[in-house]
């Protein structure tokens, strides 16, 4: 059994130990930085030729023409037909639920007219084109394709371009099937920093996009950071985290496996359980010991729990809420009697899973809300990926002659206070 | 008169010349990068002591105690009382209008319940604490205080902390007065990268915030980029831009001064006029020649127009719209007969100023919508600063027993497809 950390809010050094456990800084060392910078510059300058070269080198593929990089849409449909019917149905069910939830997030334009006839408003438009990065190999998750692609299409993005590396030519059929279900418009078998560069700057074959979303390794994350400004990007995600708050009356086996489900992602993932019931913490620890044997990814789970996991004893639910708001977790499971009352007091969390039945895993796949969520305490200031990330707003101002005259006086005073005479004159021309 | 660039869409090299004019890359060289990195690390490690040291050095101030850095709220009220009544009234009028518009942007929580009793929703909460950077000296704009602070307070941010350098101890009374009007909660007389560091990490005296907004010089911008992730930040703004689309029937003097009002910001600012009427372009150029003499900032205007300004002839309004969507300008003035029809076809712009009376300067100060807008073509994927930038969303999922059972089957299939057995087991426990 992993020696999972035990903390109690009554410990004198509680806050310090907790903060040490929570601490996370992604490291992109100088070597990665330099490599990525050079790849970006090269793709920007040489386009397809550079993309082909890096794909031959990094993905060990015999591609000579840029057209070879595109995976045609009929291949996506083939994949969807070829996978087991149960998987296809699961993908389609999940997609329908994700789409229904996303529809609620869609922002609409609005405007209002003032007494003097001046109209003010906000016009909402979708991005023209978005790029979706999908990792290749083991970390290729079809659910991630659905979660990133569907909000973009619901927002009205005209062209959604997916890039996915196919090392050694190996293609993940479930990923292609998910792309078909999600309505991805074009797919290129390119990965790494070269794929990010192609999407940001465009090449002869791969069109430039306005925003790049989706997870990737340290090269991809570094490349996304560097092209930010030329294009938009989503958050750079840290390791996945779950915080379970339990009153001690949920089956400890359920909670143990809920904690496992986060820990199995990778060694740096973080699973924390908070409860006022110390006997319950013991029972969950016993369940973990017993159930560990059944986990194919036991080694990853063990490392994760030992390094970053914790069972935290609190005095009462008030203190549990306080701890949760400090942690600002990506996933917060409220396995308690009255989850509504507790949720209303949560100020920071990516997603809140309420009640004993709402396993976090349901949200990962098919409940409807997005599984791309703010990590590493960034829920203090950021939100789940959503339709709104693929829309943007333009302010609308339409002054009547009277409105411009009235506003012109105020603007002129403030402009002259700031020493900006052209601003003042521009406003004053419109004063009657 | 400035030799403003003349372009026509009928030129063979039009798109290339336009893109050269639009090109803008902010340069933060290695020296700036290293300086900022060291200051951030030092403030993080030594707190107040480091902040005091940098303030003595960079702002030439004799501060020995951290408490000396705080500007008490009564000083803000004093400033508001001391400034001329006309300026106070202008600030208050502008603030009221900005607040009214901001109220419309506020996002609300929502939820819906499915047939089997499963509830899905989105809980919206404000940031706990935000930091507002205000530049010192010449670039200190009271309007900028209003535009950054008011959306935060409308969002419900509990504590809004302003930092402003006071080089040599010099304080801008209008800026303090604007802070009073906007409801800023605390003010510290600190600037530069050390102020950003203090807000991001917190010191003994200056509390850590969750997001930092507001304009600053290259050191401030570089510091904001570096602390992004620890805290949220707003966009890093490039030089200000205006694109005026005119049908040729607005007074050319008005348009000339509208172009000046952007150019007077700084030498890198960009003013572009697009019209299908080549005689009108000539008349605006004549107006500019004549009116230049009246401009106190003529030298800045001249440099800006010569380097980055342009008068562009298009075939018709369709082409004008196309050019505007390519440029994706920060400010778009539609000085045309039917601005509603044209605005509806604009896909990318920070703010749209509709009709001949709506000078962009009105929007800078008091129309209501925010003047913090996406620059350098980033309106393709980002939005004006707004209340929504100080709110965040948490997904809500509350499964009924039946809902968890149904969803559990789909989740289990997908989890096993991804090889995540703990995920699958966690879902399967909840299947009836």
């Amino acid at each position: 059994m992993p020696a999972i950390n035990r903390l109690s809010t009554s410990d004198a050094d509680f806050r310090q130990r907790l903060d040490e456990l929570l601490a996370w800084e992604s490291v992109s060392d100088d070597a990665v930085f330099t490599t990525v910078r050079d790849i970006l510059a090269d793709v920007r300058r040489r386009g397809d030729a550079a993309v082909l070269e890096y794909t031959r080198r990094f993905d060990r593929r015999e591609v000579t023409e840029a057209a070879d990089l595109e995976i045609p849409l009929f291949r996506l449909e083939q994949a969807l037909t070829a996978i087991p019917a149960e998987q296809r149905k699961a993908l389609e069910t999940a997609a329908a639920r994700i789409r229904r939830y996303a529809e609620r997030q869609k922002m609409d334009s609005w405007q209002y007219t003032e007494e003097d006839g001046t109209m003010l408003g906000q016009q909402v438009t979708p991005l023209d084109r978005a790029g979706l990065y999908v990792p290749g190999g083991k970390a290729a998750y079809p659910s991630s394709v659905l979660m990133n692609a569907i909000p973009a299409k619901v927002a009205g993005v005209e062209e959604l371009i997916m890039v996915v590396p196919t090392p050694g030519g190996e293609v993940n059929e479930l990923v292609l099937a998910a792309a078909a279900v999600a309505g991805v418009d074009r797919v290129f078998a390119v990965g790494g920093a070269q794929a990010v560069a192609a999407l940001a700057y465009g090449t002869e074959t791969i069109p430039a996009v306005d925003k790049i979303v989706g997870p990737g390794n340290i090269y991809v994350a570094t490349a996304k950071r560097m092209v930010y400004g030329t294009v938009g990007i989503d958050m750079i995600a840290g390791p996945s985290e779950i915080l379970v708050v339990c009153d001690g009356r949920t089956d400890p086996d359920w909670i143990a496996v809920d904690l496992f489900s986060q820990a199995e992602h990778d060694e740096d993932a973080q699973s924390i359980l908070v409860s006022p019931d110390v006997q319950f913490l013991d029972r969950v620890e016993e369940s973990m010991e017993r159930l560990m044997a059944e986990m194919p990814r036991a080694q990853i789970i063990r490392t994760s729990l030992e390094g970053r996991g914790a069972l935290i004893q609190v005095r009462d639910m008030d203190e549990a809420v306080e701890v949760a708001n400090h942690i600002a977790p990506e996933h917060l499971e409220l396995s308690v009697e009255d989850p509504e009352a507790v949720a209303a007091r949560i100020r920071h969390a990516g997603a809140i899973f309420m009640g004993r039945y709402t396993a976090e895993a349901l949200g990962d796949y098919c409940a409807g809300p997005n599984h791309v969520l703010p990590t590493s305490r960034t829920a203090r200031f950021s939100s789940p990926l959503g339709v709104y990330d693929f829309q943007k707003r333009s302010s609308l101002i339409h002054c009547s002659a009277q409105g411009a005259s009235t506003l012109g006086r105020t603007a002129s005073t403030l402009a002259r206070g700031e020493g900006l005479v052209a601003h003042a004159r521009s406003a004053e021309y419109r004063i009657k």
Side-chain angles (χ1 to χ4, degrees), chain A:
Chain A
M1 166 54 207
I4 192 166
N5 301 286
R6 291 290 288 252
L7 276 68
S8 167
T9 50
S10 60
D11 299 339
D13 61 350
F14 168 71
R15 190 62 168 262
Q16 192 195 328
R17 281 188 67 200
L18 178 60
D19 284 343
E20 281 165 13
L21 271 177
L22 298 177
W24 179 264
E25 303 217 29
S26 75
V27 272
S28 80
D29 63 25
D30 287 351
V32 172
F33 184 88
T34 309
T35 304
V36 169
R37 193 190 50 195
D38 293 349
I39 293 174
L40 295 183
D42 196 23
V43 171
R44 189 175 194 174
R45 192 165 49 84
R46 295 198 299 133
D48 281 345
V51 172
L52 283 167
E53 196 177 304
Y54 292 115
T55 302
R56 283 194 292 269
R57 192 191 309 170
F58 297 130
D59 292 346
R60 307 171 309 282
R61 293 182 55 206
E62 293 304 320
V63 281
T64 50
E65 283 178 54
D68 296 344
L69 296 176
E70 185 154 9
I71 301 179
L73 288 187
F74 73 81
R75 265 296 281 118
L76 278 52
E77 291 299 331
Q78 269 180 359
L80 187 59
T81 314
I83 62 172
E86 192 195 6
Q87 285 191 331
R88 176 179 181 150
K89 183 159 167 283
L91 281 178
E92 287 173 343
T93 302
R97 293 189 59 87
I98 296 165
R99 202 172 283 125
R100 195 187 317 157
Y101 183 87
E103 290 285 357
R104 301 264 178 160
Q105 292 181 324
K106 211 168 163 177
M107 304 187 295
D108 292 316
S109 302
W110 51 261
Q111 57 180 65
Y112 60 97
T113 303
E114 301 186 312
E115 280 186 13
D116 64 15
T118 293
M119 182 279 282
L120 299 174
Q122 193 171 270
Q123 178 164 296
V124 177
T125 46
L127 274 63
D128 282 351
R129 212 186 263 143
L132 164 56
Y133 190 94
V134 177
K138 279 185 305 177
Y141 293 142
S143 58
S144 177
V145 174
L146 300 185
M147 292 290 183
N148 281 276
I150 290 173
K153 295 309 288 184
V154 169
V157 170
E158 274 289 321
E159 199 172 16
L160 176 61
I161 296 173
M162 179 171 125
V163 292
V164 56
T166 55
E170 198 187 332
V171 179
N172 183 319
E173 296 294 320
L174 272 177
V175 162
L176 293 190
V181 170
V184 168
D185 296 291
R186 293 181 78 180
V187 181
F188 293 94
V190 186
Q194 59 274 23
V196 175
L199 291 174
Y201 306 122
T203 70
E204 301 89 323
T205 306
I206 304 174
V209 302
D210 299 301
K211 186 167 189 166
I212 303 175
V213 300
N217 63 19
I218 188 70
Y219 291 92
V220 172
T222 305
K224 279 169 65 183
R225 264 188 194 277
M226 284 192 201
V227 299
Y228 175 59
T230 301
V231 295
I233 61 168
D234 56 355
M235 290 286 297
I236 306 289
S240 197
E241 327 142 9
I242 191 171
L243 174 66
V244 180
V245 171
C246 185
D247 55 15
R249 282 178 284 158
T250 306
D251 186 328
D253 282 7
W254 293 20
I255 301 296
V257 174
D258 292 354
L259 296 170
F260 283 177
S261 77
Q262 208 54 227
E264 78 174 337
H265 274 296
D266 72 272
E267 288 85 352
D268 294 320
Q270 183 157 60
S271 300
I272 299 179
L273 168 62
V274 169
S275 179
D277 181 344
V278 69
Q279 275 84 39
F280 181 72
L281 295 178
D282 294 339
R283 285 161 61 210
V284 172
E285 195 163 350
E286 285 158 26
S287 293
M288 290 201 283
E289 260 174 77
R290 178 167 35 80
L291 295 167
M292 186 67 81
E294 302 171 26
M295 295 294 129
R297 295 166 78 101
Q299 194 45 56
I300 295 174
I301 296 175
R302 230 179 265 280
T303 309
S304 156
L305 293 180
E306 283 176 18
R308 304 202 69 219
L311 306 178
I312 302 179
Q313 187 192 344
V314 288
R315 282 187 191 85
D316 49 30
M317 271 298 150
D318 287 348
E319 219 174 51
V321 166
E322 206 180 295
V323 169
N325 279 325
H326 177 67
I327 294 178
E330 182 191 14
H331 303 101
L332 174 62
E333 216 174 275
L334 298 177
S335 203
V336 298
E337 202 53 42
D338 185 359
E340 262 80 16
V342 180
R345 297 166 61 199
I346 297 298
R347 297 199 313 280
H348 317 294
I352 307 178
F353 301 82
M354 300 159 68
R356 309 190 199 283
Y357 286 103
T358 314
E360 189 256 292
L362 303 180
D364 283 344
Y365 292 107
C366 56
N370 212 289
H371 80 193
V372 181
L373 297 166
T375 59
S376 308
R377 303 193 67 227
T378 59
R380 291 177 297 122
F381 55 84
S382 54
S383 301
L385 187 72
V387 174
Y388 38 78
D389 289 304
F390 299 96
Q391 298 182 295
K392 65 264 182 341
R393 311 158 175 96
S394 302
S395 305
L396 298 178
I397 311 176
H398 190 174
C399 289
S400 64
Q402 181 55 50
S405 185
T406 311
L407 291 175
R409 289 173 211 278
T410 299
S412 161
T413 301
L414 292 170
R416 291 187 182 272
E418 294 181 353
L420 296 175
V421 171
H423 282 69
R425 287 288 300 275
S426 166
E428 289 157 10
Y429 275 135
R430 275 84 169 183
I431 298 176
K432 280 183 185 169

